[in-house]
Amino acid sequence: MVLAKRPGATEGTLRSWLLEGLQTDRTQIEHGPHVKHPWWRVMCLTGVDYFSTLGYQPGIAALAAGLLSPVATVFLVALTLLGALPVYRRVAVESPRGQGSIAMLEHLAPQWWGKLLVLALLGFAATDFVITMTLSAADATAHIMENPFVPDFFQGRRVPVTLVLLAALGAVFLMGFSEAIGLATLLVFVYLGLNAVVVATAVAHVIETPHAVIDWRRALGMTYSGPAAMIGLSLVVMPKLALGLSGFETGVAVMPVIKGDIPERIKGARRLLTTAALIMSVFLVCSSFVTTVLIPMHEFQPGGRANGRALAYLAHQYLGEWFGTVYDVSTIAILWFAGASAMAGLINLVPRYLPRYGMAPGWTAAVRPLLLVFSVIAFAITIIFDADVDAQGGAYATGVLVLILSAAIAVTLSARRQRQRAASAGFGVIALVLAYTLVDNVIERPDGVKIASFFIITMIGTSLISRITRSTELRSTNVRLDAVAEQFVNDACGEIHVIANEPDKRDQAEYNDKLRETWLNHRLRSAEPIMFAEVSVRDASEFESELRVRGEDRFGHQVLTLESSAVPNSLAALLLYLRDRTGEVPHIYFHWGEGKPVVAMLRYVLFGGGDVPPLTREVLRQAEPDPERRPHVHVG
């Protein structure tokens, strides 16, 4: 018997279109969309974020490291291949349904601490994913503004242009997930092909003009005292290049979209992660080298022609304005669609956690309302930051690094629990390197933590408000009785009378005293069938759960024992089940509790107890609007 109610939808209405998929089996959240795709196509969906960083990463590296940009990029690539990639290959094995490192860490902290940890990590994930959308769209706008064929009308209108790009991104996802993957595949193949042409042309130009490399090496020798100083300074500035690590968490989050059973899904995800990391590493090293050697440093500065678009500068410089324009169009398209992987990550993560915690309205389990909410948030951030790429870079890097660090910690603890000493030590070293990178980034750009803190505080605040307002929902998804409990119900004839008992010693005296008290307070006839109901709260932080009822014969008394996250809700679910099973409206009997109502309400929200009688009645009132069919609650 399924009890938990979900928002209904009327055929042919806007509401039914928005809530499409909400009425389906909730296991679909775990198994992903019905239509699956090969791993390489899913790689293109995550790649629109990862690969699109080529549009601005060489310029950011040049601004951060100057002449040392290629050296710092090599260290970033080393961190990618030797750090982030091994970590997420293991995360893929341990969370094949796309839960990612957040789910791995959720189980390390008990009850409410685990929920708060997840909310904090979701805040950083939201920072990463939402800023991915706004930053990429803003950079796409920058490429539009810098193209020589773009009319002057667009100059000075970067915010409206960015908002149009974000609205178009949301429109694609509203059409469907498969359509988004198809478009991502086309954009990635075209973009990587054009980048290969630009980089190969730039490398050929470097080979033809060796004095450019000689001048670069001479400038390095004049600026820095020796190789040790160069390496040390490169390590110091490397955290500023952390944008080049984006895409790994999303690569794991979209695992349910990969075709095949669980082993095939894991294999496909590991191929996805490895292939994307290798492709990106080659492009990052080559692009940082040719842009540093061939582009004057002043062009990377704000207002320069290579600011945020270094490879586009080379495309126009060496392949002509027409090819450069084609490259610009490709870059604009993939930067615009880079938010697609972020959007996919958000619509995969949020329904897994917040509705299950009761910390979001029921409609958040549907895709389209979430898309609209995240689009509105992206609009607001774009307006607040005036569509400035540099202003959003700190928040983006902070979100990326926190998620990767959390994954490194999760796999380190996992390896330690499995007594894999070598793996535990290796992942521990990776976690320390990532921790250094994160701390350095936060010190250098504290605005990233401020933005992430806003997301976290907002998410925790709205989640707790939602939890409180939804606390009197039925919350039991299903009721299952064991064989003994089934026998008790089958043997009952006529009305069933249930005595709510808070289990203590559970000896014969306890049940005899409770039964005598109920007879005296409520004038029950001794011939009426009586059952005791006892609820134990195992984890009050959970919201929805299946209600398992176990029957016991204790000293001649029929006792139904339940484990749940909240006493009133589980008792209400049991009473409704008994009504539907027997066709008779049952009665339940309580005695009044002591204490202040406000304190009792807080105990209910946080610990699942509180003033049980009135709360049980309120849950029943909301679940059954017909008073004639509503189970009777007696309090004495």
Side-chain angles (χ1 to χ4, degrees):
M1 173 186 174
V2 178
L3 292 169
K5 295 183 178 180
R6 301 199 175 280
T10 306
E11 290 294 331
T13 65
L14 175 63
R15 178 183 174 84
S16 67
W17 179 76
L18 284 173
L19 298 181
E20 182 180 351
L22 188 60
Q23 306 298 322
T24 60
D25 189 349
R26 284 200 61 180
T27 57
Q28 185 178 336
I29 295 177
E30 299 298 326
H31 297 288
H34 294 300
V35 180
K36 308 291 184 178
H37 301 271
W39 68 267
W40 58 269
R41 295 195 71 190
V42 181
M43 182 191 73
C44 292
L45 178 63
T46 62
V48 289
D49 172 20
Y50 194 25
F51 299 143
S52 70
T53 57
L54 287 170
Y56 49 81
Q57 178 71 12
I60 290 176
L63 279 176
L67 296 170
L68 291 173
S69 172
V71 183
T73 301
V74 167
F75 285 118
L76 177 69
V77 167
L79 182 58
T80 298
L81 298 179
L82 303 178
L85 179 58
V87 164
Y88 276 97
R89 281 173 62 89
R90 177 145 185 161
V91 171
V93 174
E94 301 204 17
S95 59
R97 290 183 170 83
Q99 309 99 314
S101 59
I102 295 178
M104 294 175 66
L105 290 172
E106 178 187 13
H107 302 297
L108 299 177
Q111 302 188 12
W112 279 109
W113 292 112
K115 304 299 184 292
L116 292 175
L117 174 62
V118 168
L119 289 176
L121 290 176
L122 285 176
F124 282 109
T127 304
D128 177 12
F129 294 154
V130 173
I131 297 295
T132 294
M133 292 188 285
T134 58
L135 182 145
S136 300
D139 199 51
T141 301
H143 281 74
I144 293 173
M145 300 300 182
E146 291 294 332
N147 187 275
F149 297 110
V150 171
D152 294 337
F153 170 80
F154 289 94
Q155 300 302 320
R157 291 180 170 84
R158 65 183 184 185
V159 171
V161 172
T162 304
L163 293 178
V164 170
L165 293 177
L166 289 170
L169 174 66
V172 171
F173 265 87
L174 287 174
M175 288 189 295
F177 206 84
S178 294
E179 289 78 358
I181 288 184
L183 182 56
T185 302
L186 174 64
L187 291 176
V188 165
F189 273 88
V190 172
Y191 183 68
L192 290 181
L194 292 174
N195 269 284
V197 172
V198 173
V199 171
T201 301
V203 170
H205 188 77
V206 170
I207 294 173
E208 293 172 359
T209 55
H211 66 83
V213 179
I214 295 173
D215 292 342
W216 171 63
R217 293 181 62 181
R218 184 183 296 114
L220 283 176
M222 296 174 61
T223 307
Y224 305 101
S225 58
M230 296 180 193
I231 293 174
L233 288 171
S234 296
L235 288 173
V236 170
V237 301
M238 186 266 291
K240 299 179 182 178
L241 281 60
L243 298 183
L245 291 171
S246 66
F248 282 98
E249 187 75 23
T250 313
V252 173
V254 297
M255 283 182 67
V257 186
I258 298 175
K259 183 181 294 186
D261 55 14
I262 294 296
E264 286 295 320
R265 183 187 297 177
I266 293 173
K267 187 183 298 183
R270 299 183 78 174
R271 288 175 180 171
L272 178 159
L273 295 168
T274 303
T275 304
L278 290 174
I279 292 173
M280 192 62 177
S281 296
V282 172
F283 272 112
L284 281 176
V285 172
C286 293
S287 62
S288 66
F289 176 71
V290 296
T291 53
T292 303
V293 171
L294 297 177
I295 300 177
M297 278 296 151
H298 68 271
E299 294 288 4
F300 291 108
Q301 301 301 317
R305 291 181 296 165
N307 180 248
R309 54 188 304 276
L311 287 176
Y313 176 95
L314 295 180
H316 285 271
Q317 183 80 7
Y318 297 116
L319 293 166
E321 299 293 355
W322 283 107
F323 182 91
T325 298
V326 172
Y327 181 83
D328 280 343
V329 171
S330 172
T331 305
I332 291 165
I334 197 168
L335 283 169
W336 158 66
F337 209 61
S341 63
M343 189 74 84
L346 283 169
I347 62 179
N348 177 73
L349 285 176
V350 170
R352 288 181 180 276
Y353 294 102
L354 296 188
R356 177 162 61 88
Y357 294 171
M359 292 181 171
W363 54 258
T364 55
V367 171
R368 289 189 175 111
L370 280 181
L371 291 174
L372 296 176
V373 170
F374 292 134
S375 296
V376 170
I377 294 173
F379 287 174
I381 290 176
T382 297
I383 294 171
I384 291 171
F385 286 96
D386 196 31
D388 189 334
V389 176
D390 295 332
Q392 299 175 70
Y396 185 25
T398 299
V400 169
L401 288 171
V402 168
L403 290 180
I404 296 180
L405 176 59
S406 69
I409 293 172
V411 297
T412 301
L413 295 174
S414 173
R416 186 175 180 180
R417 285 197 305 270
Q418 299 176 33
R419 301 184 183 278
Q420 299 171 344
R421 295 184 178 180
S424 177
F427 288 130
V429 171
I430 294 171
L432 289 175
V433 173
L434 290 168
Y436 154 73
T437 307
L438 173 63
V439 171
D440 185 85
N441 187 291
V442 169
I443 294 174
E444 180 71 23
R445 294 181 286 186
D447 54 310
V449 173
K450 296 176 183 177
I451 297 171
S453 299
F454 170 77
F455 272 98
I456 293 171
I457 293 171
T458 302
M459 182 166 291
I460 291 178
T462 55
S463 296
L464 292 179
I465 291 172
S466 175
R467 177 67 180 247
I468 292 171
T469 57
R470 296 186 62 195
S471 61
T472 53
E473 292 181 8
L474 203 54
R475 294 170 58 173
S476 294
T477 57
N478 196 20
V479 177
R480 293 186 185 275
L481 276 63
D482 72 355
V484 178
E486 284 276 1
Q487 188 63 44
F488 290 166
V489 175
N490 291 335
D491 291 344
C493 55
E495 293 180 345
I496 293 180
H497 297 263
V498 178
I499 299 175
N501 181 49
E502 185 175 355
D504 187 16
K505 295 180 180 180
R506 305 192 76 214
D507 56 11
Q508 185 172 8
E510 178 179 339
Y511 293 107
N512 289 342
D513 291 345
K514 190 71 176 180
L515 183 58
R516 186 181 302 107
E517 175 191 275
T518 305
W519 279 340
L520 292 174
N521 287 340
H522 302 286
R523 301 295 188 268
L524 280 178
R525 295 187 300 272
S526 59
E528 290 176 320
I530 297 291
M531 293 183 193
F532 287 89
E534 299 176 345
V535 183
S536 299
V537 178
R538 61 181 185 273
D539 183 0
S541 65
E542 288 294 331
F543 190 74
E544 288 186 353
S545 62
E546 183 177 75
L547 194 62
R548 296 183 178 273
V549 184
R550 187 164 52 90
E552 296 182 40
D553 189 331
R554 298 187 65 82
F555 312 106
H557 301 289
Q558 295 181 347
V559 182
L560 302 177
T561 61
L562 307 85
E563 284 190 352
S564 176
S565 59
V567 177
N569 309 70
S570 57
L571 289 175
L574 174 64
L575 293 170
L576 290 172
Y577 175 85
L578 294 175
R579 179 202 65 185
D580 295 340
R581 178 72 177 270
T582 64
E584 298 285 344
V585 178
H587 297 253
I588 189 168
Y589 300 89
F590 298 94
H591 69 269
W592 283 114
E594 300 293 334
K596 298 180 179 179
V598 175
V599 176
M601 178 58 71
L602 289 176
R603 285 180 56 214
Y604 169 60
V605 172
L606 296 177
F607 306 112
D611 197 359
V612 176
L615 289 168
T616 303
R617 196 266 177 187
E618 178 60 21
V619 175
L620 287 169
R621 188 187 67 82
Q622 291 191 21
E624 177 51 75
D626 184 0
E628 298 296 326
R629 301 191 70 247
R630 188 183 304 154
H632 302 292
V633 177
H634 306 269
V635 188

